[in-house]
Amino acid sequence: DTGVSQDPRHKITKRGQNVTFRCDPISEHNRLYWYRQTLGQGPEFLTYFQNEAQLEKSRLLSDRFSAERPKGSFSTLEIQRTEQGDSAMYLCASSLPPVYGYTFGSGTRLTVV
Amino acid sequence: GENVEQHPSTLSVQEGDSAVIKCTYSDSASNYFPWYKQELGKRPQLIIDIRSNVGEKKDQRIAVTLNKTAKHFSLHITETQPEDSAVYFCAAKGDDKIIFGKGTRLHILP
């Protein structure tokens, strides 16, 4: 286990299409976070899971966005009916409390054309 | 919820000089303050962190200070080197999630 893995690394999609991203956290980490980062900005919190339970969702996460972590291991983030404003880097991170810090994945860069 | 302000947004320093980045936070319950470095096209990497029961922490050329009363924390990089050029993010952990500042782009000038 070398860290947090995200797939795909890049995704180009047409406006209106649905996309799904996958995150595989560090295996013993029970917390998993999704962030979105646009150019020149810091990562913005979207949602997080403790095991399979989704504990918090940001107001940024419109009803077109859904995230799951069905078995408490990997997670998926789906965006339905993509818009150009969804173009961003989607970052996944994991942690194991009481360790405070996150380990980030390399991200999935989404471009909506 | 937590709000983190960071400045400056861009900082240029001569190689060998020191760089200071300052942040403020809003939630007095925040108890963990990490700093991340992000190079172009790469993931954010944790470089140093500090907890609320500590006022200062140092790791080689990098130090962080925390003033809980004023809700200020700062990153200090001494003897800057070309490889220090990157975007630096401060962050604060309120509730169970980390909230990031908007970042400081640090340029090290030859």
Side-chain angles (χ1 to χ4, degrees):
Chain A
D1 192 338
T2 56
V4 179
S5 300
Q6 291 189 245
D7 183 70
R9 292 292 305 274
H10 304 274
K11 178 72 177 178
I12 300 174
T13 191
K14 292 183 178 179
R15 189 175 52 188
Q17 297 294 304
N18 299 344
V19 294
T20 300
F21 311 140
R22 177 179 170 125
C23 172
D24 286 88
I26 293 173
S27 57
E28 61 267 28
H29 285 189
N30 62 356
R31 288 209 177 160
L32 186 149
Y33 302 81
W34 284 100
Y35 284 78
R36 180 173 68 189
Q37 186 177 25
T38 53
L39 200 60
Q41 299 294 315
E44 297 174 299
F45 170 77
L46 293 179
T47 188
Y48 89 96
F49 295 83
Q50 177 156 308
N51 300 312
E52 65 275 10
Q54 188 174 20
L55 297 188
E56 187 173 346
K57 292 170 60 173
S58 164
R59 291 191 303 272
L60 293 175
L61 215 63
S62 76
D63 56 7
R64 296 184 299 105
F65 288 71
S66 62
E68 294 182 342
R69 194 183 183 197
K71 296 182 180 178
S73 56
F74 72 91
S75 175
T76 57
L77 178 67
E78 181 184 16
I79 309 175
Q80 296 182 327
R81 306 181 302 281
T82 51
E83 302 173 355
Q84 286 190 320
D86 297 331
S87 295
M89 174 74 83
Y90 289 84
L91 291 163
C92 176
S94 69
S95 71
L96 178 64
V99 175
Y100 284 63
Y102 295 174
T103 300
F104 278 95
S106 297
T108 293
R109 180 167 297 283
L110 173 67
T111 303
V112 182
V113 297
Chain B
E2 177 63 273
N3 183 52
V4 177
E5 301 285 341
Q6 179 172 352
H7 48 266
S9 57
T10 305
L11 178 61
S12 296
V13 301
Q14 211 71 37
E15 183 178 347
D17 288 350
S18 296
V20 179
I21 302 170
K22 298 183 178 182
C23 292
T24 61
Y25 63 100
S26 62
D27 187 349
S28 56
S30 289
N31 58 7
Y32 173 67
F33 305 90
W35 288 85
Y36 285 82
K37 176 182 179 182
Q38 188 174 33
E39 297 176 354
L40 191 63
K42 296 191 176 180
R43 74 188 78 186
Q45 298 269 19
L46 178 69
I47 56 171
I48 195 167
D49 55 15
I50 191 168
R51 297 188 189 182
S52 59
N53 58 348
V54 174
E56 184 172 354
K57 182 177 178 180
K58 188 173 182 180
D59 182 3
Q60 299 182 341
R61 296 186 296 107
I62 295 174
V64 291
T65 58
L66 172 64
N67 182 331
K68 281 200 65 179
T69 303
K71 297 183 195 169
H72 289 175
F73 57 118
S74 301
L75 176 72
H76 304 251
I77 306 174
T78 58
E79 302 172 9
T80 52
Q81 299 170 3
E83 55 265 36
D84 295 330
S85 292
V87 180
Y88 291 81
F89 294 100
C90 64
K93 189 169 187 286
D95 298 330
D96 292 319
K97 61 187 181 292
I98 289 176
I99 302 298
F100 289 82
K102 293 187 183 301
T104 296
R105 182 171 297 280
L106 177 61
H107 298 278
I108 306 302
L109 306 173

